[in-house]
Amino acid sequence: MIPRIDQTSPVQALYLSFINALRDGGFTGDLSPDYANRTVLATDNSIYQVLPQGVLYPRDTSDLVLIAKLSQEPQFQGIVLSPRGGGTGTNGQSLTDGLVVDTSKYMNQILEINAEERWVRVQCGVVKDQLNVAIKPHGLFFAPELSTSNRATIGGMINTDASGQGSCRYGKTRDHVLELTTVLLDGSEWTSAAISEDELENLWKREDRVGDIHRVIDAIQREHHALIDSKFPKLNRCLTGYDLAHIRDEQGRFNLNNILCGSEGTLGFITEAKISLLPIPKCSALINVNYRDFNVALRDATQLMKAEPTSIETVDSKVLNLAMNDIVWHSVAEFFPAPQSGEKIQGINLVEYTADSENDLKADVKKLTDMLDKAAQDTTTGRISYSIAWGSDAVNKIWGMRKKAVGLLGNVEGEIRPVPFVEDTAVPPENLADFIAEFRAVLDEHKLTYGMFGHVDAGVLHVRPALDMKDPAQEKMVRIITDRVVALTQKYNGLLWGEHGKGVRSEYAPAFFGELYPQIQRIKAVFDPRNQLNPGKIATPAADIPLLKIDGVTTRGQQDRKIPVQVWEGYSEGMHCNGNGLCYSWNPNDAMCPSWKGTRERKHSPKGRASLMREWLKQMSERGVNAVEESKKIKRASFLFNLPGRVINTIGKRKGDYDFSHEVHESMVGCLACKSCVAQCPIKVDVPEFRAKFLELYYSRYLRPLKDYFIGGLEFMIPTLAKMPWAYNMAMKPKFMQKFMARAIGMVDSPLLTGINLHKAAEKLGVNYATLENIAQLTPAEKNKAVILVQDAFTSYFETPLVIDTLKLLKKLGFVPLLAPFKPNGKPLQVHGFLQAFAKAADANATQLNGIASSGIALIGIEPAMTLAYRAEYKKVLGDNAPKVQLLQEWLAKQAEALESNNKQFKAADFSLLAHCTEKTNAVSSVKDWQTVFGKLGQQLKVIETGCCGMAGTYGHETSNLETSKKIYALSWAQVVNNPVNTGKLTATGYSCRSQTKRIDNVKLPHPVQVLLQQSI
């Protein structure tokens, strides 16, 4: 039995008083001093981990005004506040040991779109992709392109002055900022924009914080403009934050926004922004140029720029190879054919062109291809080959792969993994190749591996040296490498902070700014005289207050090394999360993490759950508990012997006894176990796997809810219950029983048995069971056409007509279907942490399936989640003994001859597929397999991109999940299902998906098999 974690790091009394004062003052957002929220927001995408005292989620600007004003009260002037957006920073920008102010949860509305004047006004929590989807119908887009665009907030982009691919054409975020509304620390609100001298003169006269700010900054520019001009490098990626060189813009107007952009929350709370928009280019193409040497690829970029492309991005072979092993490669493989020469690609330049007409685009592309073709026989160029991707769809797919490169670098094998700390250096593009050559020499000198990719046209290359940050010796390399790289950037007239902000790396600011650093401090002091806003970053308000140091802030590795190696490896599914945050995807049509989308709570995301799991394992380890060994003890222990202890502990829980495990439990049970994270997370974090391990341990101390036994045992009871379906249905159908089930058992809307006897139906169809005796009686011709359908409880007992229709279709196509005798799959047991029972069920089922598979006949399954369990959960407990069961469409797609010979038996029509989340993320090609099958039978099948339906097995049937389940469904499925255009056209592969549409919208969606059968003549 695991111990109770009744003590964690307590919230300081000052901060508890502040939070209580906010509550009493009418704060309308969320106040979260709980350890779970603090733990989840203790990390970003950097190497650092800093535990805050609490998290504030303001609902609107008035909440931010209240925070600011209260922080200036004498008793609260020691309070530290750090704004946070998407939390994707790579340098600890939003990490704090004070209070995190997360504006993304509620302040995420697009307030006004002016398409005619090409601007939009948004709240700071709006996500970049969210904005671009909203303005796309107007033919406009917000230009700065980021790899994190599906979760990066506009406020975060402004606070880091973000830029990325295409910056040579489109500039940085601040180039598109027209106005900013900021809550200053005295509680005043100020809207800043480029202003005239007369307006500035009027502001000088103001006797308040706004007047002070304008007087100080204007004086700095007037007094030091010559020094500023000589000190600041002339780079595309010019300095971000406190940008003295652009206090006045190109028209000579004073513009406070150029100080605020990139200030990393150290000057105020940015609440709203008015930003300019650009027309979406009508046409685009991407030329992928392959090289036999990465350094040659870098040097060649200068030559390629002469062909005037929109942008050039570079990736090295390490990033490319990682992409090839990721789900993303399925969408781009056709654009990267292997070189005919057979040479190994060591680097690629991705050269983009955009235009407003096809003719202009072709002419622009021809400039480059003529150059490449002319030099094709010149081996000194280092080029191997090139390919062209035409059209926005193709180009966007490739950029999607490039965007994922950041996370993919964290997915290398072993504990030594690329980490960010010197990853966004910027030098003049003409110096880049020489700079990188010396950079690589430094890394090679220390025998470090690394991955590289970036914006070669802007002189920015992302370099991530590989370290095991749990190893104290390797951790010291952060200082050694950074100091060397800083010297290199100075040598080549560049910057250490070219794109991702300063954050903890601000310690190098005084050396860079030199005699101008005191002026930077004057700016900080006039905004934040007591150093309360994100202190230690960029600048401090006084000479005696130090900046943070790169080796003076707690790292994740320092915390993770407290977890024993055996435990770390035993829970490896969640240990390597690097905070990339892809799971925070805004896109409602993306399968990734429905629980995050349905709750907007970061603890209900893969990143949040991985953070909580690491902290929980650390807490257990500090109490002398080895979670791996404890699991073994539980499996040996007597259920009845430990029951009294669990009863006592559960009573204590209900009385309010604190246990950090309860907070972790709340996060874990909120997971839908859809496994989208397993495939879509670039690190391959597998929440359902470590969730199951946690639940096993948690329920060794506390009583399980009855619903878990009901769900876990249903597969075993169902064959008996099916003999009397009327009795089961009578118990489930009446409203009073439904209320009882909801309250007492914790289940709602439980499905009813069909009452159809599958055994008799199969017998009527002439379908035999797949026993070795029956298989032995098949003729060679019959065996050659045979296939074994593996049953699952959901379709066999709750959707029996589908199984019958599957058998009918297989027979119609000329196959000889056999029905595997039903045995429990066990997946529901695994999902709910009954790991010993699952292993036993898996072994029994695998023994039967492997036995009949020895006949050489293929095994197939209908239900995606249950079928894919054989290659995932089964593989983990049985290894190579896991039975090989294909999805129905995977097998059918290989039967081209049989399909084509029967296509005249089907009436042509077009349909749209809604694929199951587990299927489309963990068996990507299987979705295309359905299109292949339909195409061979004369049908058109379009795939509609949707997120999760919100059901996910039994998740949506659990009382506690009902409202979240419905919210998730409303995000993407509801619009598709209720669109009149789709009436009679939709088909869905998942049993849970079909159950959800029937429950919420009373729409019965057929399975693809049933669609095909109805089209048969």
Side-chain angles (χ1 to χ4, degrees), residues 727-992:
Y728 175 85
N729 292 345
M730 187 179 294
M732 293 293 175
K733 198 170 184 179
K735 287 190 176 180
F736 76 90
M737 280 302 298
Q738 290 181 20
K739 289 181 180 178
F740 172 78
M741 288 288 292
R743 292 175 183 173
I745 308 297
M747 299 293 293
V748 293
D749 305 324
S750 294
L752 302 178
L753 293 169
T754 62
I756 299 172
N757 188 312
L758 181 58
H759 172 75
K760 290 181 179 179
E763 201 172 58
K764 188 176 180 180
L765 288 171
V767 174
N768 292 322
Y769 280 101
T771 63
L772 292 177
E773 292 78 10
N774 286 340
I775 292 172
Q777 293 176 27
L778 296 175
T779 66
E782 288 174 328
K783 188 173 181 181
N784 191 45
K785 287 285 188 177
V787 64
I788 298 170
L789 183 62
V790 178
Q791 296 190 64
D792 66 83
F794 294 108
T795 58
S796 287
Y797 293 100
F798 297 108
E799 209 175 19
T800 320
L802 172 56
V803 181
I804 296 169
D805 287 343
T806 302
L807 297 174
K808 285 180 179 179
L809 181 66
L810 289 170
K811 286 179 71 69
K812 188 171 187 64
L813 293 172
F815 300 112
V816 179
L818 299 168
L819 196 61
F822 176 80
K823 270 193 177 294
N825 174 290
K827 182 176 171 69
L829 290 170
Q830 196 276 343
V831 167
H832 289 275
F834 293 101
L835 297 187
Q836 187 175 21
F838 168 67
K840 185 177 179 180
D843 184 61
N845 192 25
T847 299
Q848 172 181 281
L849 294 178
N850 285 331
I852 57 180
S854 65
S855 65
I857 301 175
L859 304 178
I860 61 173
I862 300 174
E863 169 54 28
M866 302 294 269
T867 303
L868 291 172
Y870 293 115
R871 64 187 75 168
E873 290 86 354
Y874 270 56
K875 195 82 173 174
K876 290 189 176 180
V877 296
L878 300 175
D880 292 338
N881 288 326
K884 294 174 175 58
V885 185
Q886 300 176 68
L887 290 165
L888 170 62
Q889 69 271 28
E890 290 176 323
W891 181 81
L892 275 175
K894 298 169 189 171
Q895 315 305 316
E897 185 179 338
L899 297 177
E900 290 170 353
S901 64
N902 284 283
N903 66 358
K904 291 183 180 178
Q905 297 187 57
F906 295 83
K907 298 172 292 185
D910 60 283
F911 299 94
S912 295
L913 177 69
L914 299 175
H916 189 281
C917 287
T918 308
E919 180 182 42
K920 66 186 178 185
T921 57
N922 288 261
V924 185
S925 60
S926 69
V927 177
K928 289 184 179 179
D929 287 337
W930 272 125
Q931 291 179 299
T932 299
V933 172
F934 269 59
K936 298 286 186 187
L937 296 176
Q939 314 298 310
Q940 292 282 332
L941 184 66
K942 179 179 73 173
V943 178
I944 297 180
E945 293 300 327
T946 55
C948 178
C949 72
M951 180 58 79
T954 59
Y955 174 89
H957 287 303
E958 297 176 32
T959 308
S960 57
N961 300 328
L962 180 60
E963 290 308 311
T964 303
S965 173
K966 290 180 177 179
K967 283 182 184 177
I968 294 168
Y969 178 81
L971 289 173
S972 65
W973 274 68
Q975 298 94 308
V976 175
V977 172
N978 292 298
N979 188 337
V981 174
N982 294 325
T983 302
K985 299 289 186 181
L986 297 178
T987 176
T989 55
Y991 166 79
S992 57

Side-chain angles (χ1 to χ4, degrees), residues 316-355:
D316 70 0
S317 58
K318 181 182 286 290
V319 173
L320 186 65
N321 290 332
L322 287 168
M324 287 179 176
N325 292 310
D326 184 79
I327 183 177
V328 75
W329 193 251
H330 291 273
S331 63
V332 299
E334 63 183 291
F335 307 117
F336 295 91
Q340 292 183 351
S341 63
E343 292 181 83
K344 186 176 181 181
I345 298 172
Q346 295 296 335
I348 296 180
N349 276 328
L350 306 174
V351 188
E352 183 183 26
Y353 283 92
T354 57

Side-chain angles (χ1 to χ4, degrees), residues 110 112-122 127-145 154 170 176 178 275-282 356 392 396:
I110 298 170
E112 184 179 3
I113 298 173
N114 189 318
E116 186 177 341
E117 297 179 12
R118 293 180 182 171
W119 58 260
V120 65
R121 191 163 58 88
V122 300
V127 171
K128 181 186 180 325
D129 280 0
Q130 172 193 357
L131 172 59
N132 277 338
V133 167
I135 59 180
K136 185 177 181 180
H138 301 286
L140 302 171
F141 78 115
F142 179 45
E145 189 53 77
I154 302 300
Y170 299 123
H176 305 273
L178 301 175
I275 50 183
S276 63
L277 308 173
L278 294 173
I280 299 172
K282 293 182 173 62
D356 287 328
S392 298
N396 289 337

Side-chain angles (χ1 to χ4, degrees), residues 450-688:
Y450 45 87
M452 295 185 176
F453 59 95
H455 323 295
V456 65
D457 53 349
V460 176
L461 204 65
H462 301 306
V463 183
R464 290 195 171 188
L467 300 171
D468 179 1
M469 292 295 290
K470 301 189 302 301
D471 180 354
Q474 293 187 57
E475 182 188 321
K476 292 177 182 177
M477 294 303 300
V478 171
R479 165 64 67 185
I480 295 168
I481 298 300
T482 305
D483 285 347
R484 294 281 297 275
V485 171
V486 167
L488 278 178
T489 58
Q490 293 170 336
K491 175 180 176 179
Y492 286 98
N493 301 313
L495 290 168
L496 175 63
W497 332 274
E499 183 173 294
H500 295 162
K502 299 178 183 66
V504 174
R505 303 179 302 171
S506 296
E507 70 164 278
Y508 296 99
F512 171 80
F513 288 112
E515 56 269 57
L516 285 174
Y517 182 65
Q519 307 310 315
I520 298 291
Q521 289 183 299
R522 285 177 67 190
I523 294 175
K524 171 68 172 176
V526 74
F527 277 94
D528 180 20
R530 299 183 188 87
N531 204 31
Q532 291 175 274
L533 285 171
N534 214 5
K537 295 159 191 172
I538 303 184
T540 60
D544 60 340
I545 302 176
L547 289 163
L548 295 172
K549 293 187 176 296
I550 59 171
D551 48 9
V553 177
T554 306
T555 66
R556 265 193 267 189
Q558 290 169 3
Q559 300 298 324
D560 291 344
R561 70 181 62 140
K562 297 175 183 178
I563 301 172
V565 173
Q566 182 191 14
V567 176
W568 181 271
E569 292 176 347
Y571 284 77
S572 61
E573 304 88 4
M575 297 300 98
H576 294 109
C577 172
N578 64 4
N580 176 263
L582 186 64
C583 49
Y584 292 149
S585 171
W586 162 84
N587 185 0
N589 295 322
D590 177 14
M592 176 58 111
C593 204
S595 60
W596 151 249
K597 292 187 176 80
T599 63
R600 297 288 296 177
E601 293 188 44
R602 297 194 185 276
K603 64 184 178 182
H604 288 299
S605 70
K607 178 183 182 295
R609 292 180 176 112
S611 298
L612 289 172
M613 183 52 56
R614 285 203 309 271
E615 179 62 22
W616 186 77
L617 291 172
K618 186 195 80 171
Q619 294 280 349
M620 282 294 168
S621 299
E622 289 176 340
R623 287 161 174 77
V625 176
N626 180 309
V628 173
E629 293 299 324
E630 193 66 24
S631 174
K632 295 176 183 177
K633 291 179 186 176
I634 291 168
K635 290 178 174 67
R636 295 192 299 265
S638 164
F639 176 86
L640 292 175
F641 181 79
N642 288 326
L643 184 59
R646 294 207 306 277
V647 170
I648 292 169
N649 294 333
T650 303
I651 292 171
K653 174 184 176 180
R654 290 173 180 170
K655 287 181 177 179
D657 290 349
Y658 177 75
D659 185 346
F660 174 53
S661 296
H662 299 330
E663 296 184 61
V664 181
H665 176 261
E666 180 191 353
S667 172
M668 297 301 161
V669 296
C671 169
L672 281 76
C674 67
K675 296 186 78 71
S676 292
C677 54
V678 183
Q680 289 190 293
C681 170
I683 312 300
K684 311 306 177 201
V685 165
D686 186 347
V687 175

